Amino acid sequence: MKNVKLKLSPGSAKPKATTAARGNKRQRIVYSKAEIDEIFRRFSVQRPEPKGELEHVNAFTLLVAVALSAQATDAGVNKATRPLFAVADTPEKMLALGEEKLRDAIKTIGLYRNKAKNVIALSEKLLADFGGEVPKTREELMTLPGVGRKTANVVLQMAFGQSTIAVDTHLFRIANRIRLAPGKTPDEVEANLMRVIPEKYLYHAHHWLILHGRYVCKARRPECERCIIADICKSPEKSCDIPAPLVELPPQAVPVAG
C-alpha cells in the first residue's frame, strides 16, 4: 500500500494550534485534528491489531506481569514468568508458592525483593476482598499493593477491553518528543492523550504509541527514516520529512505463557 498524503483544505497547511487545559495550566497542541486523525489512521494500517508483549494466561498473570515490568524489559519479565506462571497462575497458587520461592523465580528482574512482597500481598488482598478475581475498575485495582495507575490501565485495556491509556516510559517520551500530548507528569500526558486521540482509534492507541517508541522513535536516536508519520511529525529532533512506506507489518509473534 502506498502512502496517502494528508490533504488539508486550502489555507490550512499551517493549522492553528489547539490547547489542552490541565487545571490552571494550558498545554499547547501543535497538531490539527486532521493531522492527529491521519497519524492514527496510518498506525491502524501498519498494525491493525497491536498487542502488548507481556506473556500471560489470564487476568491475574497479566496483573502480576505488569507489576513486575516496572523498570524492567518485557523480554526480561517474560523469561522469568514463563516457569513461574506454569506453577502459579492464580492467587491461591501464588500464596502456596510463597514469597521465598517467588523471589528466586523473579530474581533476574530489577527490584525483585520488593516486587515479590507486593505480588504476595496483592494475592492475599485479591482473595480477601475480591473473591480471588481481578477487579474490573481502576479504583479497585489501585487498592492492590504495588498497583499504580499505569498498571491498572494496562489490565483494564488488555484483560477487560476498556479504552485506556497507560503512560509508561516509552509513551511519556513519545507524547512529549513529537509534541502530540505534552505534559510534565504521566497523568498530564494521559489526560491530554485521552482528549486529542479520536474515539475510533482510542482502544489501540496505547499499544501503537508504545510500539512506535520501542521500535522506531527510539530513546537514543529516533529512526525517522523508518517512520510512517515523518511528514506530519513536529518533533524538533526529527531528521527526515519523508514518511516510510505505509504497509501492514506481519502479525506480532507474541507467545502466551503456559
Side-chain angles (χ1 to χ4, degrees):
M1 180 182 291
K2 295 182 178 179
N3 270 325
V4 178
K5 290 187 177 180
L6 179 62
K7 294 182 179 180
L8 301 173
S9 57
S12 62
K14 294 183 179 179
K16 292 183 179 180
T18 58
T19 57
R22 272 294 88 207
N24 293 325
K25 299 178 181 180
R26 295 178 69 81
Q27 295 288 353
R28 188 167 181 267
I29 306 301
V30 297
Y31 295 87
S32 69
K33 289 183 178 180
E35 288 173 323
I36 294 175
D37 192 88
E38 178 64 8
I39 286 171
F40 287 97
R41 185 196 71 80
R42 292 186 192 180
F43 284 153
S44 74
V45 171
Q46 185 184 50
R47 295 184 189 270
E49 295 292 333
K51 296 179 175 63
E53 297 183 316
L54 286 172
E55 298 174 11
H56 60 284
V57 296
N58 53 30
F60 172 71
T61 53
L62 173 63
L63 174 63
V64 172
V66 179
L68 294 177
S69 70
Q71 298 183 48
T73 65
D74 287 359
V77 172
N78 290 339
K79 186 176 180 180
T81 57
R82 285 183 199 122
L84 172 63
F85 292 159
V87 296
D89 59 356
T90 66
E92 296 90 342
K93 292 178 182 178
M94 192 65 73
L95 290 178
L97 182 68
E99 187 176 331
E100 184 176 349
K101 289 184 178 178
L102 175 56
R103 281 201 308 267
D104 289 340
I106 65 170
K107 62 185 178 183
T108 57
I109 300 174
L111 307 175
Y112 73 95
R113 293 181 185 277
N114 192 54
K115 289 177 180 179
K117 288 181 181 179
N118 284 335
V119 169
I120 293 298
L122 73 81
S123 297
E124 291 174 340
K125 190 170 179 65
L126 285 174
L127 288 170
D129 296 352
F130 301 104
E133 298 295 323
V134 176
K136 298 181 180 180
T137 70
R138 182 183 292 110
E139 293 72 23
E140 289 175 318
L141 282 165
M142 290 178 66
T143 67
L144 300 171
V147 176
R149 188 178 181 89
K150 187 209 80 171
T151 296
N153 281 341
V154 173
V155 173
L156 291 174
Q157 199 271 349
M158 292 181 64
F160 303 124
Q162 297 183 31
S163 296
T164 62
I165 299 291
V167 180
D168 71 350
T169 302
H170 293 296
L171 207 152
F172 184 80
R173 173 172 50 78
I174 288 297
N176 279 286
R177 172 185 271 171
I178 72 174
R179 304 171 71 191
L180 178 64
K184 294 182 179 179
T185 67
D187 285 355
E188 282 187 17
V189 169
E190 178 187 339
N192 287 333
L193 285 171
M194 292 293 290
R195 182 177 292 106
V196 303
I197 295 172
E199 179 66 30
K200 61 185 174 181
Y201 297 125
L202 190 56
Y203 178 70
H204 286 311
H206 159 76
H207 285 131
W208 281 327
L209 290 169
I210 286 176
L211 293 169
H212 186 65
R214 185 173 292 168
Y215 297 115
V216 179
C217 200
K218 298 178 180 179
R220 291 189 177 182
R221 187 189 77 82
E223 298 181 4
C224 300
E225 67 279 3
R226 297 180 53 232
C227 179
I228 59 172
I229 62 169
D231 55 325
I232 307 174
C233 177
K234 300 182 189 299
S235 171
E237 298 178 51
K238 185 172 69 170
S239 61
C240 175
D241 288 318
I242 301 174
L246 182 58
V247 295
E248 182 177 338
L249 297 175
Q252 287 171 264
V254 181
V256 177

